[in-house]
Amino acid sequence: MATKIYIVYYSTWGHVATLAEEMKRGADSVPGVEVTVWRVAETLAEEVLGKMHAAPGREDHPVITAQQLAEADGVLFGFPTRFGMMAAQMKAFFDSTGGLWQAQSLAGKPAGVFFATGTQGGGQETTALTAVTQLTHHGMLFVPVGYTHGAGMFAVDEVKGGSPYGAGTFAGADGSRTPSDAELALAAHQGKYFAGVAKKLKAAV
């Protein structure tokens, strides 16, 4: 049977959605892996989203329920940061997984994270670190990308998001910056790397 990878994200201006698509592209390159991209439910009113100039939700990415999460063999979670932590929409989704937590339905499943921040000091590491608490309570196995992408992760000749915790991008304070080629490449690599790890884990159990 194919290894099921779920990429579950929330995106305000589309930056995280773009990274999610690159994650899928990378994961799709691993034979025997089936990848689905999902988004979590929006919690803000349309009026508020309009004032924020938020991007519309991707209709090709269905909204996931907590129970569907248990179907995956591995999950990559993506979200923008809010003051160094995941956005409330993603936190609300995790808050809805109490039944899965009680049954430990996600225990032993690999999980990774990716993210977008407004600025360089906006939480490229703290957003990932604070997200690990959610995975820990579920007994999930955190799979960071590390420095497996090679020399490009050590380069300092351009401003770019991402860290050993996961792929990332900078949106700019007003959301106008789009993911760079380097950021997209790391996202694709993380998708491929994570899918390979999930496939090995499934084969071992």
Side-chain angles (χ1 to χ4, degrees):
M1 292 179 63
T3 300
K4 286 187 176 182
I5 303 297
Y6 282 4
I7 300 172
V8 181
Y9 76 91
Y10 173 73
S11 190
T12 305
W13 290 292
H15 300 80
V16 180
T18 299
L19 293 182
E21 282 292 336
E22 286 300 304
M23 292 271 176
K24 183 179 188 301
R25 188 171 67 83
D28 277 337
S29 69
V30 178
V33 170
E34 178 184 299
V35 189
T36 307
V37 180
W38 305 82
R39 56 192 170 98
V40 302
E42 181 58 77
T43 61
L44 294 177
E46 287 296 329
E47 180 183 1
V48 175
L49 293 170
K51 291 179 178 179
M52 295 172 64
H53 306 291
R58 292 277 299 265
E59 294 300 324
D60 55 329
H61 298 161
V63 175
I64 193 170
T65 66
Q67 289 304 314
Q68 287 173 309
L69 199 60
E71 301 167 358
D73 296 306
V75 187
L76 284 162
F77 295 99
F79 33 81
T81 187
R82 298 291 184 266
F83 304 112
M85 296 187 292
M86 66 174 64
Q89 290 85 345
M90 181 60 76
K91 183 58 168 63
F93 175 73
F94 273 110
D95 287 350
S96 75
T97 62
L100 299 179
W101 163 76
Q102 191 169 29
Q104 284 295 283
S105 301
L106 304 180
K109 294 178 185 283
V113 297
F114 58 103
F115 32 82
T117 67
T119 62
Q120 286 178 273
Q124 289 280 318
E125 291 194 351
T126 61
T127 304
L129 278 170
T130 51
V132 170
T133 61
Q134 312 297 312
L135 311 181
T136 299
H137 282 266
H138 278 290
M140 301 187 84
L141 309 177
F142 178 48
V143 181
V145 71
Y147 283 90
T148 59
H149 192 38
M153 295 188 72
F154 296 92
V156 293
D157 56 331
E158 65 175 298
V159 174
K160 60 181 182 294
S163 71
Y165 298 95
T169 186
F170 296 119
D174 60 356
S176 62
R177 182 184 182 275
T178 57
S180 68
D181 289 343
E183 291 166 344
L184 295 175
L186 178 57
H189 168 76
Q190 183 178 359
K192 180 178 181 180
Y193 176 75
F194 180 84
V197 171
K199 182 178 178 181
K200 290 177 184 177
L201 284 173
K202 183 174 182 179
V205 297

